[in-house]
């Protein structure tokens, strides 16, 4: 069913749409791929004239620059496009150069916000006090998503695995697809006596960190490695980026790897359903990932910081457990006065029900309203 187009916002008696950002802004950001310019953004909507979103409390003017996580790239494309259609006096730019580089630029004071797949570390919070005069940097969860486990095993279309079995597969303790542990979880499947070829990221990534956090939290006896952005398991093939891992999974029978759900859907890669102890195994979808965040996440930050901590042993029905949340990093106090109104307006929109509701079309998981509502409350207090 086709979704209705959101209503236009009218200003000065006529509807106005966003014009090309690159024609109006000379950005100081390094790198390429800055979001906010025209063209087909690959986010499920055309830049030929997006309908302005009703109900946005626009700032009058402002130029807001952000950098960081590529995992939220398509969400940012969508948000910027529709926000600027409603608020033509504001310009938002986002450069998806990666969590580490984006955080570093923010901590140097080069950007108004940073996007990161992991929360700030204590030393980063301390360093942020030089940029956030009179305050500190805080984490605001903004978009979630399932980390899918993609596989290519001939004749097996519906594969179920649990956390201990996944941990043993990716740590090379299970080496063939007809292993009894896999057979036990898939009693009706004809599993071939084929080598298992696990594939992991060769580069440091938040996706790797969140996947390893799940293995360590849900199967501590099977996965004793430290959690970090660098891969810690034993052996296996490797590839750069989620696109590289997805390519490896489709390059030969017997492969299994992890990446954001959008890569699996774009390449038609079969995905694993997870046995969490719930009445039925859970497949990765935006809806089940949102349920997973609601079931397992709690706010663990201090003060206005909204860092989330996950309880990976949840067996809530319909809750997919392997998820990641991307944060926007901002100053709680000490933001630049000239960009603060636009920053607050934009982040209020991205955390709003309107800003979150269509993320599932982009294979993201909208934040549970219990979390998004708290984010909006914090954004209102930014100074």
């Amino acid at each position: 069913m086709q979704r209705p187009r959101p209503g236009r916002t009218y200003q000065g008696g006529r509807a106005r749409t966003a014009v090309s950002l690159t024609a109006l802004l000379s950005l100081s950001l390094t790198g390429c791929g800055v979001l906010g310019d025209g063209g087909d953004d690959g986010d499920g909507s055309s830049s030929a004239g997006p309908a302005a979103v009703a109900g946005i409390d626009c700032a009058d003017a402002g130029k807001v620059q952000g950098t960081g996580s590529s995992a939220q790239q398509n969400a940012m494309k969508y948000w910027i496009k529709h926000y600027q259609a409603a608020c033509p006096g504001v310009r938002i730019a986002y450069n998806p150069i990666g969590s580490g580089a984006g955080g570093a630029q923010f901590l140097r004071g080069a950007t108004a916000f940073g996007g990161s797949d992991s929360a700030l570390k204590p030393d980063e919070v301390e360093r942020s006090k030089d940029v956030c005069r009179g305050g500190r940097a805080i984490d605001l969860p903004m978009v979630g998503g399932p980390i899918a486990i993609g596989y290519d095993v001939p004749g097996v279309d519906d594969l179920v695995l649990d956390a201990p079995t996944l941990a043993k597969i990716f740590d090379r303790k299970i080496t063939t697809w007809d292993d009894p542990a896999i057979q036990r979880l898939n009693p009706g499947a004809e599993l071939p006596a084929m080598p298992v070829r696990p594939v992991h990221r060769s580069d440091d990534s938040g996706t790797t960190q969140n996947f390893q956090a799940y293995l360590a939290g849900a199967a501590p006896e099977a996965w004793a490695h430290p959690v970090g952005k660098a891969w810690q398991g034993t052996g296996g093939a490797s590839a750069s980026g989620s696109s590289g891992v997805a390519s490896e999974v489709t390059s030969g029978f017997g492969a299994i790897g992890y990446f954001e759900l959008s890569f699996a859907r774009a390449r038609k890669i079969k995905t694993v359903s997870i046995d969490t102890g719930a009445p039925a195994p859970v497949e990765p979808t935006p809806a089940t990932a949102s349920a997973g965040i609601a079931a397992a996440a709690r706010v663990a930050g201090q003060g206005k910081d909204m860092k989330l901590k996950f309880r990976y042993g949840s067996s809530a029905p319909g809750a997919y457990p392997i998820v990641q949340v991307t944060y926007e990093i901002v100053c709680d106090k000490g933001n630049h006065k000239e960009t603060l109104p636009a920053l607050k307006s934009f982040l209020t929109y991205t955390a709003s029900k309107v800003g979150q509701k269509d993320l599932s079309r982009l294979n993201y998981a909208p934040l549970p309203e219990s979390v998004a509502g708290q984010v909006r409350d914090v954004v209102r207090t930014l100074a």
Side-chain angles (χ1 to χ4, degrees), residues 277-355:
V282 187
E283 64 178 315
T285 69
T288 60
S290 289
I293 295 170
R298 64 177 180 84
V299 177
Q302 300 296 316
K304 296 179 182 179
D305 184 69
M306 288 196 62
K307 175 178 70 174
L308 298 179
K309 185 174 182 179
F310 285 86
R311 179 173 57 86
Y312 288 105
S314 173
S315 58
Y320 186 77
I322 316 175
V323 296
Q324 65 181 3
V325 170
T326 295
Y327 299 92
E328 313 309 337
I329 300 172
V330 298
C331 295
D332 62 352
K333 296 179 181 178
N335 293 283
H336 293 293
K337 292 182 179 180
E338 61 271 21
T339 60
L340 180 58
L343 176 66
K344 292 172 70 172
S345 171
F346 179 64
L347 294 182
T348 297
Y349 159 63
T350 62
S352 71
K353 292 180 180 178
V354 171

Side-chain angles (χ1 to χ4, degrees), residues 178-236:
D178 61 349
D179 187 276
I182 302 177
Q183 191 72 66
R184 176 181 57 82
L185 292 164
N186 300 272
E190 295 184 9
L191 296 167
M194 174 183 291
V196 176
R197 187 166 62 89
V199 186
H200 60 266
R201 290 275 290 267
S202 60
D203 55 321
D204 290 1
S205 80
T207 306
T208 293
Q209 182 174 23
N210 284 284
F211 179 49
Q212 293 186 123
Y214 165 73
L215 295 178
E221 294 182 358
W223 190 266
H225 302 292
V227 174
K229 292 185 178 182
W231 180 251
Q232 304 294 320
T234 303

Side-chain angles (χ1 to χ4, degrees), residues 27-35 64-70 72 76 92-117 326-329:
L27 295 174
S28 63
L29 300 178
T30 60
C32 60
V34 177
L35 310 183
V64 178
Q65 299 177 3
T67 58
S69 165
S70 60
Q72 68 173 1
M76 273 291 168
I92 311 292
Y94 183 77
N95 196 351
I97 57 177
S99 294
Q105 286 204 354
F106 174 82
L107 292 173
R108 289 199 302 270
T111 57
F113 70 97
S116 178
D117 301 328
T326 295
Y327 299 92
E328 313 309 337
I329 300 172

Side-chain angles (χ1 to χ4, degrees), residues 77-134:
K77 288 178 181 177
Y78 179 88
W79 285 329
I80 291 171
K81 180 184 299 182
H82 289 274
Y83 176 84
Q84 290 185 163
C87 309
V90 179
R91 288 292 170 263
I92 311 292
Y94 183 77
N95 196 351
I97 57 177
S99 294
Q105 286 204 354
F106 174 82
L107 292 173
R108 289 199 302 270
T111 57
F113 70 97
S116 178
D117 301 328
S118 58
L120 291 159
K121 297 177 182 178
D123 65 306
E124 292 173 324
V125 173
E126 192 61 32
R127 286 165 51 201
S128 75
K129 295 177 182 178
D130 293 332
V131 174
C132 306
R133 297 300 175 89

